[in-house]
Amino acid sequence: MATTAAVRPQEADIPEAVVVRFAGDSGDGMQLTGGQFTLSTALAGNDLATFPDFPAEIRAPQGTLFGVSAFQINFGSRRINTAGDAPDVLVAMNPAALKVNLAALKPGGLIIADTGAFTKRNLDKAGYDTNPLEDDSLAQWDVLAFDISERTIEAVKPFGLGNKDALRSKNMWTLGLALWMFDRPREPIHDWLKQKFAKKPDIADANIAALDAGHAYGETAELSGPVKQLTMPPVESEPGLYRTITGAEAVSLGLVAGAQLAELPMFFGGYPITPASAILHHLARLKEYGVTTFQAEDEIAAICAAIGASYAGSLGVTSSSGPGIALKGEAMGLAIMTELPLVIVNSQRGGPSTGLPTKTEQSDLYQAVYGRNGDAPLPVVAARSPSDAFECAIEACRIATQYMTPVMLLTDGYIANAAEPWKVPDPASYEPFPAQFLQEKNGEELLPYKRDAKGARPWIKPGTPGLMHRIGGIEKAADTGHIDYSPDNHQAMTDARKDKVLGVDVPDQEVALGDSSGKLAVVGWGSTFGPIHQAVGRARRKGLDVSHIHVRHIWPLPGNLGELLRGFDHVLVPEMNTGQFKTVLRDQYLVDAQPLTKTSGQPFQIAELEEAIGKYFDGVPGNEGGEVAVNEQQLPSPEGGAK
Amino acid sequence: MNAPAKIETTLKDWVTDQEVRWCPGCGDYAILKAVQRTLPQLGADPANTVFISGIGCSSRFPYYMESYGFHTIHGRAPAIATGTKLANPDLDIWLVTGDGDGLSIGGNHLMHVLRRNVNMQIMLFNNEIYGLTKGQASPTSREGTRSPSTPIGSYDHPARPAAFALGSGARFVGRGFDVSKHLPDVLMAAHAHQGAAFIEIFQNCIVYNKDVFDDFAAPKGAEDRQLWLEDGKPMLFAGDTKGIALDRDALELKVVDVTDGDWKSAGVIAHDVTNRSIAHMLVEMPFGPFPMALGVLYDDPRPTFEAAVAAEREKARAGKEANLARLLGTGQTWTVNGTAADPV
Ligand SMILES: Cc1ncc(C[n+]2csc(CCOP(=O)(O)OP(=O)(O)O)c2C)c(N)n1
Ligand code: SF4
Ligand SMILES: [Mg+2]
């Protein structure tokens, strides 16, 4: 590594965190660049959070605004909770990428642009009358513009690729430059390229050459331009083995772990849908862990097959996103009536109908809690981050098998795709919850609907001698499970189903940051954890009496939550929907929960939340900016997780 | 699948204590009896037998069978049964569906369970009407059927269940009717078939579509109107005075007269249950000009879905240790000692 030649900035210049956004055409490989940069960041020991933001179109027409794909990473030498509000560095591989992302860039930030892609044609497509790199419109930022396309072609020339193929390595050239900027070793990326293109060594070599050329360019450019090399010290982390993990990976691994803790084979029924498909893809490769994956003909068949598998004694799991979850509604009712375990994962996306398939939202909370015909309660658990999705998936498996009930696990498009470092847990540190099957009659006659102390009925596998019985969606008589439409029985069974779910053992709600009573509680759920945590942290640093409460158990709610909320003068509920959790809290506790809503398909920014918090306090000192280092001690331990 | 030990049972062992709730005289009773008569002959084990149904009069069936039973939701039984079979391939699954359940709301699932070839017996009770919801026209109702939803007669073209099944890729297609004494034979052939076995059973809904099958099912004249197919036997009916021949120029079937039992010179073809082309003609053979083709129309097994799934799982497992701790720590990892990170 040629870091010796670099003129190192003064110690004081090193920021605690930097936000970089790679943006280009969907064909420019920005997600790959971002992913590899993330890896090198993790290897450098920095904490990080990422936000991949890509178009719904697979191959959007080149150069168009809607075809822009971006990957943002926030990394630092302290704890990082969000992908960052505004980038410090914007890499724009074409005019459209510049146009779409410029507004987000911090004043004084750095733009790295590929002049080779700023052709008349591309400028027209992006709607630029004049070349922004040549007029004065970018004056408030530092600009490093040069012909990345040309330099890439030059670098890969020895490999005899045509121009079109050569330009495919542009992203690696750019990555090389980024690696130089942050003083990162190239070897892990070399290794990765060699592995990825094991069957096409030429392509691997060309990409490596491009990467090296970009890196070398950094050294030369530094002497004359705005680029400085920056070495960010590693974050202080608990010793242990780490990896990066996305929410989709974490859900998959958590389900595998959950099934093992229940001592059950897992059956996963899925139907492709963004952003849930990644879970099906991950699990399809884990067959040796007792996982059967089934790509069904539609979402209804996917959940029904999972129910059929649960009936036969497997842990049935199905996963989808909003529109697919809507299709599963009737079958969830069947699982509720027949009281079979089932885990339903909803990776929420934006809007009704097809909506915003690749963007994030939290607008399926009503659907999860209320969205079925009849009185059809089921437990709902929501993950707050990619790594938390692992714990939540285990928790969902535990509740489903212990209470004989379908459970919904909520994540969202942001959690599904975003990556963060994860301290790899030891599966042996989780308390097993082995499933029990009835082996002989539980009364003089078999009573398939006789409940245990938790309100759960016995799980009876077909194939067990002597326990033949019939179940179905028609109302069941208590105990015997025979068809029974009588008024008293339906009343009793409706109550029993409701009480069973309300009786699920949910840990008490902890306060994520701040005191357990005071002026303002900011109450969140799901992927808003990061921005809320940072905003509350900043506000507290300004001396404001505000606390962050983050709810994992959406249904049933933690037993102490009502009391906790009543200890605050104000309750503010930021959500990426029009105020759904707020309604549930008002309904359950008659507290004056106030909504703070956002449905743009983009996560909350810290500044937005800070501003909303500020409104509760007169004479707030100015926004100091920057993320706060949150004392890890103040974070609640993962509920129901490692013991 | 392990060949399960044969169990000795009688018809009575398969009868539950539940009161049967079909209308008196409904064809479903006869089918229930036929199934309860068939299972002892198969040596089936009630503890290993599962009846899975959708919704409809027909789908009440599992409640009356002393075995495991799952009365699910409208149209989805094939999907549920697929999950059950994959989770435990040793179970002997019978699926019960209706013409509405299996061909309207559940048509998609029926198609896929057949093309995947999940090993189970699929009995579609075709009464050409929605019984349970009080008599609306169904996808198999004949054109002109008057019903509460089609007061001046239906005008959509009926689906043909057996043709649908074959077109979906079924490797066994059988046909029978409720009161036929041959029904148990068809059920036994279906059971012997490894894979999805589809049986269309014409069933008399005496309340909403009374006697619509009488034109071929009524005992009087049945000889002339029923063609019972047997593997290797000539396709003869009407007391062996008529037969089915292949018009080789038009590439279609035709009815020919047979004199003195000399079917060969009349050009009558012998039934080959593995001939898919002939099967396609048999399922499309219009009743009226032709007799109703009954029995085993097609039977040519191929590997089952659950066998393929199990084989894939075994392959994935071979030589691999399922170590969760190692799986969690897979990918690009690093270790932290104090504050320094070392790539591993
Ligand atoms: C989702 C849903 N839609 C509609 C119904 C009402 N429904 C119950 S049975 C049935 C039709 C049954 O017809 P078929 O499958 O032919 O059965 P049959 O009663 O004739 O045996 C309908 C429409 C339902 N139960 N569920
Ligand atoms: S309505 Fe028809 S199909 Fe239903 S039970 Fe009565 S006779 Fe049988
Ligand atoms: Mg019907």
mmCIF file of all heavy atoms in Angstrom, chain A residues 266-288:
data_model
loop_
_atom_site.group_PDB
_atom_site.id
_atom_site.type_symbol
_atom_site.label_atom_id
_atom_site.label_comp_id
_atom_site.label_asym_id
_atom_site.label_seq_id
_atom_site.Cartn_x
_atom_site.Cartn_y
_atom_site.Cartn_z
ATOM 1 N N MET A 266 -37.597 -26.884 9.170
ATOM 2 C CA MET A 266 -38.308 -25.688 8.725
ATOM 3 C C MET A 266 -38.804 -25.864 7.297
ATOM 4 O O MET A 266 -38.098 -26.378 6.445
ATOM 5 C CB MET A 266 -37.379 -24.476 8.761
ATOM 6 C CG MET A 266 -38.110 -23.155 8.502
ATOM 7 S SD MET A 266 -37.157 -21.937 7.613
ATOM 8 C CE MET A 266 -35.791 -21.751 8.687
ATOM 9 N N PHE A 267 -40.041 -25.423 7.076
ATOM 10 C CA PHE A 267 -40.588 -25.414 5.723
ATOM 11 C C PHE A 267 -40.868 -23.974 5.360
ATOM 12 O O PHE A 267 -41.607 -23.276 6.056
ATOM 13 C CB PHE A 267 -41.882 -26.224 5.654
ATOM 14 C CG PHE A 267 -42.513 -26.196 4.281
ATOM 15 C CD1 PHE A 267 -42.255 -27.220 3.380
ATOM 16 C CD2 PHE A 267 -43.335 -25.147 3.887
ATOM 17 C CE1 PHE A 267 -42.817 -27.190 2.101
ATOM 18 C CE2 PHE A 267 -43.893 -25.115 2.607
ATOM 19 C CZ PHE A 267 -43.633 -26.144 1.719
ATOM 20 N N PHE A 268 -40.273 -23.523 4.268
ATOM 21 C CA PHE A 268 -40.428 -22.131 3.865
ATOM 22 C C PHE A 268 -41.143 -22.061 2.528
ATOM 23 O O PHE A 268 -40.662 -22.574 1.526
ATOM 24 C CB PHE A 268 -39.058 -21.473 3.761
ATOM 25 C CG PHE A 268 -39.115 -20.016 3.390
ATOM 26 C CD1 PHE A 268 -39.150 -19.043 4.375
ATOM 27 C CD2 PHE A 268 -39.157 -19.623 2.059
ATOM 28 C CE1 PHE A 268 -39.224 -17.697 4.037
ATOM 29 C CE2 PHE A 268 -39.232 -18.283 1.714
ATOM 30 C CZ PHE A 268 -39.258 -17.315 2.698
ATOM 31 N N GLY A 269 -42.306 -21.431 2.507
ATOM 32 C CA GLY A 269 -43.047 -21.227 1.262
ATOM 33 C C GLY A 269 -42.956 -19.771 0.863
ATOM 34 O O GLY A 269 -43.257 -18.890 1.671
ATOM 35 N N GLY A 270 -42.524 -19.489 -0.362
ATOM 36 C CA GLY A 270 -42.404 -18.102 -0.797
ATOM 37 C C GLY A 270 -42.791 -17.932 -2.251
ATOM 38 O O GLY A 270 -42.901 -18.906 -2.999
ATOM 39 N N TYR A 271 -43.030 -16.691 -2.617
ATOM 40 C CA TYR A 271 -43.311 -16.333 -4.006
ATOM 41 C C TYR A 271 -42.550 -15.033 -4.244
ATOM 42 O O TYR A 271 -42.604 -14.139 -3.410
ATOM 43 C CB TYR A 271 -44.816 -16.129 -4.204
ATOM 44 C CG TYR A 271 -45.191 -15.829 -5.635
ATOM 45 C CD1 TYR A 271 -45.266 -16.861 -6.579
ATOM 46 C CD2 TYR A 271 -45.445 -14.524 -6.058
ATOM 47 C CE1 TYR A 271 -45.589 -16.585 -7.895
ATOM 48 C CE2 TYR A 271 -45.770 -14.256 -7.375
ATOM 49 C CZ TYR A 271 -45.838 -15.284 -8.292
ATOM 50 O OH TYR A 271 -46.155 -15.017 -9.599
ATOM 51 N N PRO A 272 -41.817 -14.945 -5.359
ATOM 52 C CA PRO A 272 -40.931 -13.788 -5.531
ATOM 53 C C PRO A 272 -41.649 -12.437 -5.431
ATOM 54 O O PRO A 272 -42.681 -12.247 -6.057
ATOM 55 C CB PRO A 272 -40.365 -13.995 -6.942
ATOM 56 C CG PRO A 272 -40.421 -15.480 -7.148
ATOM 57 C CD PRO A 272 -41.675 -15.922 -6.449
ATOM 58 N N ILE A 273 -41.091 -11.546 -4.647
ATOM 59 C CA ILE A 273 -41.565 -10.152 -4.565
ATOM 60 C C ILE A 273 -40.469 -9.333 -3.900
ATOM 61 O O ILE A 273 -39.853 -9.767 -2.938
ATOM 62 C CB ILE A 273 -42.906 -10.054 -3.776
ATOM 63 C CG1 ILE A 273 -43.440 -8.611 -3.776
ATOM 64 C CG2 ILE A 273 -42.758 -10.542 -2.353
ATOM 65 C CD1 ILE A 273 -44.874 -8.469 -3.267
ATOM 66 N N THR A 274 -40.252 -8.151 -4.435
ATOM 67 C CA THR A 274 -39.282 -7.223 -3.862
ATOM 68 C C THR A 274 -39.914 -6.571 -2.642
ATOM 69 O O THR A 274 -41.079 -6.177 -2.714
ATOM 70 C CB THR A 274 -38.936 -6.131 -4.890
ATOM 71 O OG1 THR A 274 -38.488 -6.786 -6.074
ATOM 72 C CG2 THR A 274 -37.876 -5.174 -4.377
ATOM 73 N N PRO A 275 -39.235 -6.387 -1.549
ATOM 74 C CA PRO A 275 -37.854 -6.783 -1.273
ATOM 75 C C PRO A 275 -37.753 -8.080 -0.469
ATOM 76 O O PRO A 275 -36.760 -8.284 0.209
ATOM 77 C CB PRO A 275 -37.353 -5.601 -0.436
ATOM 78 C CG PRO A 275 -38.574 -5.146 0.330
ATOM 79 C CD PRO A 275 -39.779 -5.504 -0.488
ATOM 80 N N ALA A 276 -38.768 -8.943 -0.560
ATOM 81 C CA ALA A 276 -38.768 -10.145 0.290
ATOM 82 C C ALA A 276 -38.023 -11.316 -0.344
ATOM 83 O O ALA A 276 -37.614 -12.246 0.358
ATOM 84 C CB ALA A 276 -40.214 -10.565 0.602
ATOM 85 N N SER A 277 -37.844 -11.297 -1.659
ATOM 86 C CA SER A 277 -37.275 -12.461 -2.345
ATOM 87 C C SER A 277 -35.928 -12.894 -1.779
ATOM 88 O O SER A 277 -35.599 -14.086 -1.788
ATOM 89 C CB SER A 277 -37.085 -12.174 -3.832
ATOM 90 O OG SER A 277 -38.288 -11.782 -4.421
ATOM 91 N N ALA A 278 -35.155 -11.921 -1.303
ATOM 92 C CA ALA A 278 -33.808 -12.246 -0.827
ATOM 93 C C ALA A 278 -33.846 -13.326 0.253
ATOM 94 O O ALA A 278 -32.926 -14.150 0.348
ATOM 95 C CB ALA A 278 -33.132 -10.985 -0.300
ATOM 96 N N ILE A 279 -34.917 -13.361 1.034
ATOM 97 C CA ILE A 279 -35.017 -14.366 2.099
ATOM 98 C C ILE A 279 -35.174 -15.755 1.481
ATOM 99 O O ILE A 279 -34.510 -16.716 1.882
ATOM 100 C CB ILE A 279 -36.184 -14.028 3.054
ATOM 101 C CG1 ILE A 279 -35.917 -12.668 3.716
ATOM 102 C CG2 ILE A 279 -36.366 -15.115 4.102
ATOM 103 C CD1 ILE A 279 -37.076 -12.154 4.563
ATOM 104 N N LEU A 280 -36.040 -15.843 0.466
ATOM 105 C CA LEU A 280 -36.208 -17.114 -0.262
ATOM 106 C C LEU A 280 -34.866 -17.547 -0.860
ATOM 107 O O LEU A 280 -34.480 -18.717 -0.768
ATOM 108 C CB LEU A 280 -37.273 -16.948 -1.352
ATOM 109 C CG LEU A 280 -37.441 -18.072 -2.370
ATOM 110 C CD1 LEU A 280 -37.867 -19.371 -1.699
ATOM 111 C CD2 LEU A 280 -38.473 -17.703 -3.454
ATOM 112 N N HIS A 281 -34.153 -16.595 -1.444
ATOM 113 C CA HIS A 281 -32.865 -16.933 -2.078
ATOM 114 C C HIS A 281 -31.856 -17.446 -1.042
ATOM 115 O O HIS A 281 -31.149 -18.413 -1.282
ATOM 116 C CB HIS A 281 -32.275 -15.719 -2.798
ATOM 117 C CG HIS A 281 -33.188 -15.152 -3.848
ATOM 118 N ND1 HIS A 281 -32.978 -13.931 -4.438
ATOM 119 C CD2 HIS A 281 -34.332 -15.638 -4.402
ATOM 120 C CE1 HIS A 281 -33.958 -13.689 -5.317
ATOM 121 N NE2 HIS A 281 -34.783 -14.708 -5.296
ATOM 122 N N HIS A 282 -31.794 -16.779 0.089
ATOM 123 C CA HIS A 282 -30.833 -17.205 1.119
ATOM 124 C C HIS A 282 -31.170 -18.598 1.634
ATOM 125 O O HIS A 282 -30.314 -19.465 1.735
ATOM 126 C CB HIS A 282 -30.827 -16.241 2.304
ATOM 127 C CG HIS A 282 -30.117 -14.957 2.018
ATOM 128 N ND1 HIS A 282 -28.801 -14.921 1.631
ATOM 129 C CD2 HIS A 282 -30.532 -13.673 2.041
ATOM 130 C CE1 HIS A 282 -28.451 -13.664 1.433
ATOM 131 N NE2 HIS A 282 -29.476 -12.888 1.664
ATOM 132 N N LEU A 283 -32.445 -18.790 1.955
ATOM 133 C CA LEU A 283 -32.819 -20.073 2.563
ATOM 134 C C LEU A 283 -32.696 -21.228 1.578
ATOM 135 O O LEU A 283 -32.427 -22.362 1.971
ATOM 136 C CB LEU A 283 -34.242 -19.986 3.126
ATOM 137 C CG LEU A 283 -34.351 -19.137 4.402
ATOM 138 C CD1 LEU A 283 -35.810 -18.921 4.767
ATOM 139 C CD2 LEU A 283 -33.609 -19.796 5.563
ATOM 140 N N ALA A 284 -32.870 -20.922 0.289
ATOM 141 C CA ALA A 284 -32.768 -21.984 -0.718
ATOM 142 C C ALA A 284 -31.376 -22.612 -0.717
ATOM 143 O O ALA A 284 -31.183 -23.725 -1.192
ATOM 144 C CB ALA A 284 -33.111 -21.432 -2.098
ATOM 145 N N ARG A 285 -30.410 -21.881 -0.183
ATOM 146 C CA ARG A 285 -29.036 -22.400 -0.139
ATOM 147 C C ARG A 285 -28.706 -23.042 1.204
ATOM 148 O O ARG A 285 -27.560 -23.383 1.460
ATOM 149 C CB ARG A 285 -28.044 -21.261 -0.399
ATOM 150 C CG ARG A 285 -28.222 -20.683 -1.778
ATOM 151 C CD ARG A 285 -27.329 -19.481 -1.986
ATOM 152 N NE ARG A 285 -27.265 -19.182 -3.404
ATOM 153 C CZ ARG A 285 -26.447 -19.799 -4.251
ATOM 154 N NH1 ARG A 285 -25.610 -20.708 -3.818
ATOM 155 N NH2 ARG A 285 -26.464 -19.496 -5.528
ATOM 156 N N LEU A 286 -29.693 -23.171 2.056
ATOM 157 C CA LEU A 286 -29.397 -23.694 3.401
ATOM 158 C C LEU A 286 -30.113 -25.020 3.652
ATOM 159 O O LEU A 286 -30.524 -25.317 4.774
ATOM 160 C CB LEU A 286 -29.798 -22.655 4.466
ATOM 161 C CG LEU A 286 -29.016 -21.344 4.394
ATOM 162 C CD1 LEU A 286 -29.491 -20.382 5.476
ATOM 163 C CD2 LEU A 286 -27.514 -21.577 4.543
ATOM 164 N N LYS A 287 -30.259 -25.811 2.602
ATOM 165 C CA LYS A 287 -31.028 -27.060 2.720
ATOM 166 C C LYS A 287 -30.416 -28.021 3.730
ATOM 167 O O LYS A 287 -31.110 -28.831 4.335
ATOM 168 C CB LYS A 287 -31.133 -27.748 1.363
ATOM 169 C CG LYS A 287 -31.743 -26.858 0.285
ATOM 170 C CD LYS A 287 -32.973 -27.473 -0.326
ATOM 171 C CE LYS A 287 -33.892 -26.439 -0.918
ATOM 172 N NZ LYS A 287 -33.399 -25.798 -2.123
ATOM 173 N N GLU A 288 -29.100 -27.935 3.900
ATOM 174 C CA GLU A 288 -28.462 -28.884 4.826
ATOM 175 C C GLU A 288 -28.828 -28.588 6.282
ATOM 176 O O GLU A 288 -28.543 -29.385 7.160
ATOM 177 C CB GLU A 288 -26.938 -28.922 4.622
ATOM 178 C CG GLU A 288 -26.201 -27.642 4.935
ATOM 179 C CD GLU A 288 -26.057 -26.741 3.708
ATOM 180 O OE1 GLU A 288 -26.956 -26.729 2.849
ATOM 181 O OE2 GLU A 288 -25.023 -26.048 3.622
#
